[in-house]
Amino acid sequence: MATFDAPPVLSTPDSHIFEEPTPARLQNATRLPGEELYVTYEIERTVSEIRQGRWRRIALQFPDEMLVDAPRVYAALDCRLKGKRKSVAVGSADAVLDGETQTTPDMAAEGVLESKIQELKLDSGAPGTTTSGEEEERLYILADTSYGSCCVDEIAAEHIDADGIVHYGRTCLSPTARLPVIYVFTTRPLPIKPVVLAFQEVFPKLDEKVVLMADVTYANHVKCVYDALCGAGYTKVFKTDVIHSPSSLLPNRTVPEEEEEGEGLGGYKLFHISEPPASLLLILSSRLESIYIYPTTPSPSPQKPLLTTTTTTLRRRYALITSLTTVPVFGILINTLSVKNYLHIVTHIQRQILAAGKKAYTFVVGKVNAAKLANFSEIGGWVVVGCWESSLLDSAGFYKPVITPFELGLVLMRDDKRLWTGEWVADFNSLLERPGKGGSRGDEASEGVDSQQPRSDAPADSDGQPSSGADLDSEPESTPPDYDLRTGRYISHTRPMAPSTSSQPANPSPNSTSLTTRHPTTLAAIAGKVSPGAEYLRSQRTWRGLGSDFVAVGYEEEEGQGGTRMQEGRSGIARGYRVGEEGEER
């Protein structure tokens, strides 16, 4: 018997571990004073819109950095809602509202909100009714989001059967599918004078065409900055306002009237307050002449606007596109269940991929990370369907590249038609509005799956699908060859779902019991349909389940069958499991 000097290594080497960065815990987060809390979280406006919409179950969605204020915001909203109901009950709304208005800042300043938090009973019972017969509003804090914090989490809100959602913090303003939303941007302070001085330093000419824009958390300051610039003599500065339109030339912002019907904003420069997300920066760089970003991070010295360029980022994205042109299997990664029309874009992508002769599988994995996606080694590239901000992921840490639906259209273009213009589209609803620009293989690819129907002499199964006995090396004569642009090699298996002109006989129907010889170059099939995933499992996977790494483990019933025997496990509940057939309790 062999002896060991040290115990065997049964764990994965450290070099194979995916390093998922864990966000640092928020320690000593600053709590806002009472009056500032009411202003920052817009308590009065929120209460007014809740009452106007007659909501009874309200979900409060906070990002991680604002959870420190969540209990106090809950208490403030609950206090004001009770005050509104009380005014209706006594029949003297004006007097009571005046009293509430006078006492609210003092209550916050003296710590009454903190005492109110201690009285909260977060039970799951049904909402009660007041003396006026009006049903009481119930508030719920959503402390975690299913996907990104910029998106409205309708899934978590539906768990409590909410009538509406109050979303706090910065947001992508993507249209929701089911529930109404109140957006509270939680305005942050911004000194106006340094911003104006920085603007004058960058744009000394008073007649220069400049778009003034800010992140949603600083959007309330745009008007003050604009008024100060007009007072300084600037005549062609355009002030943007927040709107709910991600497909606009300036996403979620108004655009100059003379440019709405024109070709774009190429004659304008942009002065943006605060660092924009990466996807927004790519969009703006493709539509404006230049971009200057005014940083809002605390600094002892005066901040200076920075000229920003996205040339390097665009080159990297184009390199990802060219690396996926020969991929036969794509994964459609659903990264949202709330954005309107997300099912329509999934169907659109599936048709694009099928029309190009490739295979697509759909996945829902929640929050995306490298370890989750690495479980599916059959997938050659991922297409993320999410909001226009969260769809752009850095593929550096992922096993396979991750692209957007817009980039997929470029991937599926023929090499002789693929032209990189620098245009960037992040909102998938914009793609649905222009189906003729799909650009996939076949001129009709964006119109549906009928662009590559099998020829009349091509073998097909009983369901009308291409025969699973199709030869992988055979391609239609009119189809140009595929070459990997990185290696220069010819790739013969890039379109496993394309119709074949092979003369191999079709596989028998699933109901047939006759034996046939399987051609060594045919794809595996499930229920008579070609399945690249099953083919990968058959030909590439070395581990196919428990016991598959042992060779020919025989049993009395079936000699020579690999694997382990199935056994009945535990059953019952945690306080007393039943083990085995005799039902012994443990």
Side-chain angles (χ1 to χ4, degrees):
M1 179 180 296
T3 59
F4 299 94
D5 297 333
V9 178
L10 301 179
S11 60
T12 303
D14 293 341
S15 60
H16 295 174
I17 297 177
F18 289 96
E19 296 181 358
E20 180 64 19
T22 303
R25 294 184 58 186
L26 299 176
Q27 298 179 354
N28 301 325
T30 304
R31 300 181 61 184
L32 297 177
E35 282 189 49
E36 190 175 346
L37 181 81
Y38 269 77
V39 174
T40 301
Y41 289 93
E42 303 183 34
I43 301 299
E44 294 298 330
R45 180 178 73 87
T46 304
V47 170
S48 176
E49 294 193 23
I50 289 175
R51 297 281 297 176
Q52 184 178 359
R54 299 181 180 274
W55 298 355
R56 292 297 173 257
R57 303 174 71 88
I58 303 100
L60 308 179
Q61 180 180 339
F62 293 86
D64 293 342
E65 63 271 14
M66 294 183 182
L67 284 176
V68 65
D69 291 326
R72 302 171 68 226
V73 173
Y74 181 108
L77 290 173
D78 186 65
C79 180
R80 294 299 295 143
L81 288 170
K82 286 184 177 179
K84 294 287 186 179
R85 292 194 301 270
K86 180 180 177 182
S87 66
V88 175
V90 300
S92 56
D94 295 339
V96 176
L97 287 176
D98 290 341
E100 292 287 342
T101 304
Q102 295 174 3
T103 57
T104 294
D106 296 336
M107 290 169 54
E110 296 176 5
V112 178
L113 288 180
E114 283 71 10
S115 63
K116 176 66 179 175
I117 295 173
Q118 303 299 327
E119 301 174 2
L120 295 177
K121 297 180 180 180
L122 303 178
D123 57 8
S124 58
T129 56
T130 62
T131 56
S132 63
E134 187 178 4
E135 188 176 354
E136 181 181 358
E137 295 92 350
R138 297 296 298 270
L139 304 174
Y140 300 85
I141 297 175
L142 304 182
D144 192 14
T145 55
S146 301
Y147 295 97
S149 60
C150 67
C151 298
V152 176
D153 194 354
E154 289 186 319
I155 303 303
E158 287 184 339
H159 290 168
I160 60 171
D161 194 21
D163 299 319
I165 304 174
V166 183
H167 184 281
Y168 293 99
R170 71 172 319 279
T171 173
C172 58
L173 293 176
S174 297
T176 55
R178 293 174 288 273
L179 296 177
V181 185
I182 299 174
Y183 291 99
V184 179
F185 299 144
T186 58
T187 301
R188 299 178 183 177
L190 179 71
I192 303 301
K193 186 176 180 179
V195 179
V196 175
L197 294 177
F199 186 97
Q200 293 174 336
E201 181 181 352
V202 176
F203 305 108
K205 297 181 180 179
L206 300 181
D207 59 345
E208 198 159 8
K209 300 173 68 174
V210 182
V211 173
L212 183 61
M213 185 175 172
D215 189 77
V216 291
T217 55
Y218 295 95
N220 287 351
H221 302 291
V222 172
K223 187 179 185 305
C224 297
V225 176
Y226 174 77
D227 293 340
L229 292 175
C230 291
Y234 286 90
T235 58
K236 293 187 178 181
V237 176
F238 176 76
K239 174 182 66 71
T240 58
D241 296 320
V242 177
I243 59 175
H244 293 212
S245 178
S247 59
S248 173
L249 284 177
L250 298 174
N252 294 322
R253 300 296 190 277
T254 55
V255 297
E257 294 182 358
E258 64 272 16
E259 301 296 337
E260 288 184 355
E261 302 298 333
E263 297 182 355
L265 300 168
Y268 279 86
K269 298 179 180 179
L270 177 68
F271 186 86
H272 193 280
I273 301 174
S274 184
E275 182 74 22
S279 58
L280 177 60
L281 192 59
L282 286 177
I283 296 172
L284 297 176
S285 64
S286 65
R287 300 177 183 179
L288 293 158
E289 180 179 340
S290 60
I291 301 175
Y292 291 87
I293 297 178
Y294 179 82
T296 55
T297 53
S299 175
S301 59
Q303 298 281 15
K304 294 184 178 181
L306 304 175
L307 178 62
T308 304
T309 178
T310 59
T311 303
T312 302
T313 304
L314 288 174
R315 287 175 179 173
R316 291 176 180 174
R317 303 307 301 184
Y318 188 66
L320 288 179
I321 291 173
T322 54
S323 68
L324 293 176
T325 54
T326 57
V327 168
V329 181
F330 284 92
I332 302 175
L333 190 60
I334 299 180
N335 198 33
T336 179
L337 296 177
S338 302
V339 179
K340 188 177 181 181
N341 293 331
Y342 79 93
L343 289 178
H344 292 78
I345 191 63
V346 171
T347 303
H348 177 75
I349 292 174
Q350 289 173 338
R351 290 178 175 177
Q352 273 189 308
I353 295 175
L354 182 59
K358 302 176 184 289
K359 180 65 176 179
Y361 294 96
T362 306
F363 299 85
V364 180
V365 297
K367 292 183 178 180
V368 180
N369 59 51
K372 290 180 180 178
L373 301 190
N375 290 320
F376 308 100
S377 55
E378 302 88 341
I379 305 301
W382 296 92
V383 184
V384 177
V385 175
C387 76
W388 64 276
E389 283 192 10
S390 63
S391 295
L392 183 63
L393 299 177
D394 186 5
S395 298
F398 289 88
Y399 181 55
K400 295 295 175 62
V402 183
I403 61 175
T404 66
F406 168 73
E407 292 172 323
L408 176 67
L410 296 174
V411 169
L412 299 180
M413 281 184 179
R414 289 193 290 266
D415 293 337
D416 57 342
K417 291 188 176 182
R418 186 183 304 110
L419 179 63
W420 183 256
T421 62
E423 179 190 15
W424 186 265
V425 179
D427 180 40
F428 59 71
N429 285 292
S430 301
L431 301 179
L432 294 176
E433 295 172 1
R434 51 173 188 175
K437 296 185 180 181
S440 56
R441 294 183 184 273
D443 295 338
E444 303 87 1
S446 60
E447 298 296 333
V449 298
D450 296 331
S451 58
Q452 288 198 15
Q453 290 295 332
R455 292 171 44 181
S456 58
D457 57 345
D461 58 19
S462 58
D463 296 329
Q465 298 290 333
S467 171
S468 58
D471 191 347
L472 285 175
D473 295 325
S474 62
E475 298 286 352
E477 294 181 0
S478 60
T479 303
D482 288 316
Y483 293 92
D484 190 335
L485 298 180
R486 298 171 300 171
T487 62
R489 296 180 178 179
Y490 170 70
I491 308 297
S492 60
H493 306 334
T494 62
R495 294 183 294 277
M497 308 304 293
S500 174
T501 58
S502 172
S503 59
Q504 294 291 335
N507 282 354
S509 62
N511 297 328
S512 175
T513 58
S514 59
L515 298 177
T516 59
T517 301
R518 184 178 182 276
H519 194 273
T521 59
T522 57
L523 281 175
I526 297 178
K529 297 183 179 180
V530 174
S531 175
E535 173 63 23
Y536 187 94
L537 176 64
R538 181 188 66 82
S539 60
Q540 301 293 332
R541 287 279 191 180
T542 57
W543 190 84
R544 304 175 187 175
L546 294 176
S548 62
D549 48 349
F550 293 96
V551 179
V553 179
Y555 300 109
E556 295 181 358
E557 295 82 2
E558 297 182 6
E559 284 293 334
Q561 295 296 323
T564 59
R565 178 180 296 176
M566 294 180 62
Q567 298 179 356
E568 183 178 355
R570 294 183 178 184
S571 62
I573 58 178
R575 68 180 182 182
Y577 288 114
R578 296 183 178 276
V579 183
E581 299 179 355
E582 299 179 358
E584 178 185 356
E585 292 190 1
R586 294 183 183 177

